[in-house]
Amino acid sequence: MTATQIPSENADAVDPPADQEVRPRRPRRRVRAAAIVVALVAVGGAAGIAVTDPFDARTKDDAAIASAASATSLAKVTQGTLSARTQQNGTLGYVGDLPVINNASGTVTKLPAVGEAIAQGKALYWVNGKPVVLLKGSVPLYRDLSRGMEGADVEQLNAALVALGYADKDELDPTSDYFSRATRRALMELQDAVGLKETGQLTTAEAVFLPVDALRVTKVEGMVGGAAGSGAVLMKGSSTKRQVTVALNASQQASVKAGDKALITLPNGKSTEGVVSAVGKVATKTDQSMTVEVLIEPLDAKATGELDQAPVQVAIVSETVNDVLSVPVDSLLARAGGGYAVEVVDEDGKHTLVPVTTGLFDDSAGTVQVTGEGLRAGQNVVVPGS
């Protein structure tokens, strides 16, 4: 895109030599290099600036041309690791939204409290004084299970019994879909442990299969003393696994992928690492834009505490480069002939424009990878003043 230039009385003026001291006029506010182009044009020995917004066809000459006396400050050229990070707002919570559907008939005699976590093999609630046990599985308990039966529901019962330690793999194959003598024996041990009659058969009134190792109760809809109707939802819950959900602008979907690292900043100001576990493929329309859902798994769940639906900041790292030079994005100056330069100030206070090639941008930190002849770590570059 061609930047709009400031009219000059000397139409034949050319760019000053690279070693000539130049004090270019700068915008008063910080600008992103990817969105705003600053064109240096030599005018009667002084430097003029024209600012063009590539997302707006109008040239804002009156508002964007800064005074030569604009305040500036200095920043260092640094060397090291640079990551392309996208700063996003997220919500910290728990994975899953699971209804607990009752199949026992009678009166509800005990219910858990909101926030309580119930592990597999423990009672979720009680009907007529009898426990209804949580077992891990994705297939609902739609029939009574007994010896000789086969199916996916039997397979997940075998897996649950082994996981709970009521049988080992040598006694009971956790991948078997057959209700064997070993299944019956292990089931009787489970029934004895939770306070059920040791029948060796699993009825629909005795257990609920859910795809979690433990259920964290988020809402109780039943009532102690109320009727436990078949098919009624007595409570809702989630897993105990922590997760951050980000509504990412759909235009940025291609820049984020599963496996990308992330830094999660919690409401208390502390940070913990995470990894992108999934990126949505279906966009959802919001009031302001189209977004896709990005899920991030904290690597240290304990470090995230126990807050639910808490606002957090997330810096998603999509790419990293090592041992490179970087400068603040707002130190970049677009050259009239194309490309970028930075204004280097030496120890004697001499100002020199050094052409640079840009690389990786860190949107979160406001820095950019650069290479340029003579550019080295520790040098001072000019940036707009605050």
Side-chain angles (χ1 to χ4, degrees):
M1 178 179 62
T2 302
T4 303
Q5 299 181 345
I6 302 174
S8 169
E9 293 180 1
N10 183 3
D12 297 326
V14 296
D15 290 335
D19 60 352
Q20 180 179 329
E21 181 174 345
V22 179
R23 293 185 180 276
R25 299 177 183 177
R26 294 174 175 273
R28 293 182 181 276
R29 61 187 179 88
R30 176 176 178 175
V31 296
R32 285 188 57 190
I36 300 180
V37 179
V38 182
L40 296 180
V41 183
V43 181
I49 296 178
V51 179
T52 302
D53 184 346
F55 300 105
D56 187 340
R58 300 169 298 171
T59 300
K60 306 178 181 64
D61 295 293
D62 294 339
I65 299 177
S67 167
S70 295
T72 60
S73 58
L74 299 178
K76 293 287 185 182
V77 178
T78 60
Q79 185 170 7
T81 300
L82 183 72
S83 297
R85 297 183 296 175
T86 302
Q87 193 75 20
Q88 301 289 334
N89 294 321
T91 303
L92 173 65
Y94 294 87
V95 179
D97 183 13
L98 304 169
V100 177
I101 301 174
N102 170 66
N103 284 315
S105 298
T107 301
V108 177
T109 51
K110 188 176 180 180
L111 289 167
V114 171
E116 186 175 345
I118 300 162
Q120 177 182 205
K122 302 297 182 181
L124 273 174
Y125 58 95
W126 285 256
V127 175
N128 291 344
K130 298 178 181 180
V132 179
V133 181
L134 171 64
L135 294 176
K136 185 177 181 179
S138 57
V139 180
L141 186 58
Y142 63 93
R143 59 178 179 168
D144 296 342
L145 300 179
S146 59
R147 186 176 175 183
M149 299 179 70
E150 298 180 2
D153 48 357
V154 175
E155 180 180 349
Q156 65 188 19
L157 173 60
N158 285 333
L161 291 171
V162 172
L164 291 169
Y166 293 113
D168 59 38
K169 294 180 180 179
D170 293 333
E171 298 171 324
L172 178 60
D173 182 0
T175 65
S176 171
D177 65 353
Y178 179 70
F179 197 120
S180 64
R181 179 181 298 177
T183 304
R184 183 175 184 275
R185 183 167 53 248
L187 178 57
M188 291 176 68
E189 291 190 25
L190 169 63
Q191 290 172 326
D192 178 58
V194 299
L196 288 169
K197 187 176 180 179
E198 301 170 50
T199 62
Q201 299 180 4
L202 185 67
T203 70
T204 58
E206 292 178 331
V208 173
F209 278 103
L210 293 173
V212 292
D213 292 307
L215 184 77
R216 177 181 171 275
V217 179
T218 57
K219 185 178 182 181
V220 176
E221 298 189 355
M223 182 180 297
V224 173
S230 179
V233 176
L234 293 185
M235 68 188 79
K236 292 184 178 180
S238 69
S239 72
T240 55
K241 187 177 181 181
R242 300 291 267 163
Q243 179 176 271
V244 173
T245 304
V246 170
L248 183 72
N249 191 293
S251 64
Q252 297 177 279
Q253 182 196 39
S255 65
V256 178
K257 62 184 182 302
D260 283 347
K261 295 180 180 179
L263 185 66
I264 305 164
T265 302
L266 305 169
N268 61 7
K270 295 182 179 180
S271 297
T272 187
E273 295 181 341
V275 62
V276 175
S277 57
V279 179
K281 296 182 179 180
V282 179
T284 301
K285 186 176 182 180
T286 65
D287 293 338
Q288 298 179 342
S289 62
M290 299 291 289
T291 63
V292 293
E293 185 178 72
V294 175
L295 303 180
I296 299 171
E297 179 183 350
L299 297 182
D300 183 1
K302 291 183 179 179
T304 64
E306 297 181 355
L307 289 174
D308 193 11
Q309 300 302 303
V312 294
Q313 290 289 317
V314 182
I316 301 174
V317 180
S318 57
E319 188 177 352
T320 298
V321 289
N322 299 310
D323 196 29
V324 298
L325 297 177
S326 62
V327 296
V329 171
D330 53 10
S331 70
L332 293 179
L333 299 169
R335 304 168 66 201
Y340 293 99
V342 293
E343 186 178 350
V344 175
V345 183
D346 63 21
E347 295 178 356
D348 297 328
K350 182 180 179 181
H351 291 239
T352 305
L353 288 181
V354 177
V356 295
T357 300
T358 59
L360 206 63
F361 281 81
D362 183 348
D363 290 341
S364 179
T367 55
V368 58
Q369 174 190 355
V370 290
T371 55
E373 186 176 352
L375 198 66
R376 63 183 185 277
Q379 288 179 312
N380 289 319
V381 292
V382 178
V383 294
S386 56

